[in-house]
Amino acid sequence: MKKVIKVIVAGMALVSGVSFSAQYGIIHAGKLMAVPGEKVTSKQSIVILDNKILDVRPGYIEKDALNISQGDTVEVIDLKNKYVLPGLIDGHVHITDQLDSKNKLRRVEYSDPDTALFGAYNAKILLDAGFTTVRDLGGRGGDAVFALRDAINKGFVEGPRIFAAGFVISPTGGHGQRIGYRDAVFKVVNHSGVCDGVDDCRRVVREQVRRTADQIKFVATGGVLSEVAAGTGQQFFNDEIQAIVDTAHSLGRKVTAHAHNADGINAALRAGVDSIEHGTFADEESLALFEKTGAYLIPTLLAGATVSEIATSKQSFFAPSVNEKALKVGPKLIETLRIAHDRGIKIAFGTDSYVSKHGINAREFQLLVEAGLTPVEAIKTATVYGADNLGKSDELGTIESGKFADIIALNRDPSKDISALKEVDFVMKEGRVFKQ
């Protein structure tokens, strides 16, 4: 029936002479970093057709340079005095949450719709900061993050493109569970990403995929913010980790591991995980496994800096067990990243935004440079490598023909002063201007 309708509509268009119009855009870019790491060019025109990049041409072309049909529209955007580069990718956020003194209470007070709307508020802040794509690695509120992702894709809500992992996969009592509530309350705030044993872990991964998770995240080790004195060592057993990774891969999903101590990092890497979040206490075996497997390290330096700042503040709202871990983990992240960078390990951008405030994500670039990356290398972590970490290099990460028209512009050259990325003046996502 659908095929018949399409034929009828096509026939009516031919008879009546009606044609479907296309929307073109031309961006005049003064300085263009089309592919971070390659030569920056001057006086370029980015040609956009609907939501994708059609071409990049030298010089400032005008509307009449395009071969367009009657009824097509063309918008010319003047960024001649700007530095233009691809939209940024943050590979580790929690968009429906925010760490502060009210965080524990908010988990009890907010309904799932409240949580989704809070996420929508954060989504707009992230998009305005130049982050056109994010990977959410643990969403609160049941299906809230999936609803937000889908609403953004449909154009109902303004925000970055979201790749959502759904619930964090955790063992009972592990870092992925919310600890510190009495049992009756715990049943309300805790969700179904918990598994124990190989078969149960396979089931939970499959359940996340059924819930439409784009990727899978599990906790290989304890975490800083867990209000329990369990440390930051390995929490899942090796066979459970292997079951999680194998099941995710069999269902076409990339899988990442939250991991601080070397035992959990190494177990996850041996199991074939695609990336490691944090990687704080990586040892020589860890570094060798990163080199062997090609897995990405997402260092989340901003999260480390943030928990250290809170822990040393007189207004710290951390439990004593959290304070102790924060003071150990925060400073170690930069040291580990410096070593990993020197070894040539693949690094992708991720802030663990929610630990830090949404919208200040670009501070991570400055921390990456402090750890030894050049400004251009830091930019590549959130563009070229950020797209590869997601498995989306064919769609994202550079300004090239066939890719989504995700484009930002700055007043200053970020390759000379990385702090320029904290002041994004222009944001386009999929050919639509959201900030100018």
Side-chain angles (χ1 to χ4, degrees):
M1 185 64 181
K2 288 182 180 180
K3 185 174 181 181
V4 172
I5 291 172
K6 287 180 180 179
V7 171
I8 292 172
V9 171
M12 290 172 64
L14 289 171
V15 171
S16 64
V18 174
S19 61
F20 296 100
S21 61
Q23 294 181 324
Y24 287 87
I26 301 173
I27 294 178
H28 291 159
K31 296 288 185 181
L32 177 62
M33 186 185 289
V35 181
E38 297 185 7
K39 182 180 178 181
V40 174
T41 52
S42 302
K43 297 181 179 180
Q44 300 289 300
S45 293
I46 306 167
V47 183
I48 298 162
L49 175 57
D50 296 326
N51 64 348
K52 292 192 174 181
I53 298 163
L54 184 64
D55 198 7
V56 179
R57 303 183 189 180
Y60 296 141
I61 68 169
E62 298 300 331
K63 297 179 182 180
D64 56 11
L66 300 180
N67 182 22
I68 63 175
S69 302
Q70 186 176 4
D72 292 347
T73 60
V74 183
E75 180 184 11
V76 179
I77 298 172
D78 184 357
L79 298 179
K80 293 175 183 175
N81 296 321
K82 304 289 184 182
Y83 290 84
V84 180
L85 59 157
L88 303 173
I89 301 168
D90 191 328
H92 188 150
V93 306
H94 301 274
I95 202 167
T96 57
D97 208 351
Q98 182 63 68
L99 179 66
D100 55 29
S101 60
K102 298 179 181 179
N103 177 261
K104 266 182 93 168
L105 186 59
R106 193 184 299 123
R107 295 178 187 278
V108 179
E109 292 181 331
Y110 275 20
S111 65
D112 286 1
D114 288 331
T115 300
L117 290 170
F118 182 59
Y121 171 78
N122 294 328
K124 177 59 176 170
I125 292 172
L126 285 166
L127 185 61
D128 283 347
F131 289 86
T132 53
T133 302
V134 298
R135 181 173 64 163
D136 188 279
L137 292 183
R140 283 189 52 224
D143 290 329
V145 73
F146 295 130
L148 176 60
R149 175 198 64 190
D150 297 344
I152 290 171
N153 289 342
K154 293 172 182 175
F156 299 161
V157 176
E158 293 186 1
R161 181 183 300 102
I162 297 175
F163 292 91
F167 296 141
V168 176
I169 296 176
S170 168
T172 299
H175 174 60
Q177 288 199 297
R178 299 301 171 186
I179 296 167
Y181 300 96
R182 63 188 179 88
D183 283 352
V185 177
F186 176 77
K187 292 175 182 177
V188 176
V189 300
N190 191 62
H191 294 291
S192 62
V194 177
C195 61
D196 299 294
V198 169
D199 290 344
D200 201 29
C201 287
R202 289 179 181 142
R203 179 194 61 79
V204 165
V205 173
R206 290 167 177 155
E207 179 65 15
Q208 296 314 300
V209 174
R210 183 202 63 76
R211 298 179 65 233
T212 73
D214 301 296
Q215 302 205 353
I216 297 296
K217 179 196 175 182
F218 71 96
V219 295
T221 72
V224 173
L225 298 178
S226 298
E227 292 188 10
V228 59
T232 53
Q234 185 172 342
Q235 293 191 335
F236 274 118
F237 290 106
N238 290 353
D239 59 349
E240 293 172 315
I241 291 175
Q242 192 69 61
I244 291 168
V245 173
D246 288 347
T247 306
H249 286 166
S250 73
L251 294 171
R253 299 301 192 273
K254 286 201 168 195
V255 56
T256 192
H258 158 105
H260 285 293
N261 279 19
D263 53 0
I265 296 170
N266 298 345
L269 289 170
R270 284 193 296 267
V273 77
D274 298 290
S275 57
I276 295 288
E277 312 297 318
H278 316 303
T280 313
F281 300 105
D283 61 11
E284 177 58 36
E285 182 183 356
S286 311
L287 299 171
L289 284 166
F290 271 115
E291 292 170 332
K292 179 181 177 180
T293 64
Y296 273 97
L297 170 64
I298 296 85
T300 64
L301 303 181
L302 182 53
T306 301
V307 296
S308 293
E309 290 163 4
I310 294 172
T312 55
S313 168
K314 291 181 180 178
Q315 286 76 43
S316 175
F317 50 86
F318 287 162
S321 60
V322 174
N323 251 27
E324 182 181 351
K325 289 182 285 186
L327 293 173
K328 291 178 180 177
V329 168
K332 184 66 176 174
L333 284 169
I334 284 187
E335 180 185 338
T336 299
L337 177 59
R338 186 175 289 114
I339 296 169
H341 174 248
D342 289 343
R343 291 278 290 260
I345 287 164
K346 292 160 61 176
I347 300 163
F349 188 99
T351 58
D352 206 353
S353 175
Y354 121 85
V355 176
S356 56
K357 291 182 179 179
H358 298 289
I360 66 167
N361 307 52
R363 186 182 165 195
E364 180 84 13
F365 289 111
Q366 292 179 288
L367 295 169
L368 290 169
V369 171
E370 287 179 24
L373 278 69
T374 67
V376 172
E377 286 176 331
I379 293 167
K380 287 179 73 174
T381 68
T383 52
V384 177
Y385 298 146
D388 187 46
N389 181 43
L390 291 172
K392 298 294 179 180
S393 294
D394 58 335
E395 298 178 343
L396 308 171
T398 63
I399 299 175
E400 295 180 288
S401 176
K403 297 194 176 184
F404 283 118
D406 291 0
I407 297 166
I408 65 171
L410 321 169
N411 278 324
R412 295 179 290 126
D413 183 354
S415 67
K416 295 180 179 177
D417 181 2
I418 197 67
S419 69
L421 285 162
K422 295 167 73 174
E423 301 173 3
V424 175
D425 292 317
F426 172 90
V427 178
M428 170 183 281
K429 191 190 83 172
E430 294 190 18
R432 179 183 169 191
V433 177
F434 287 90
K435 182 180 181 181
Q436 185 172 14

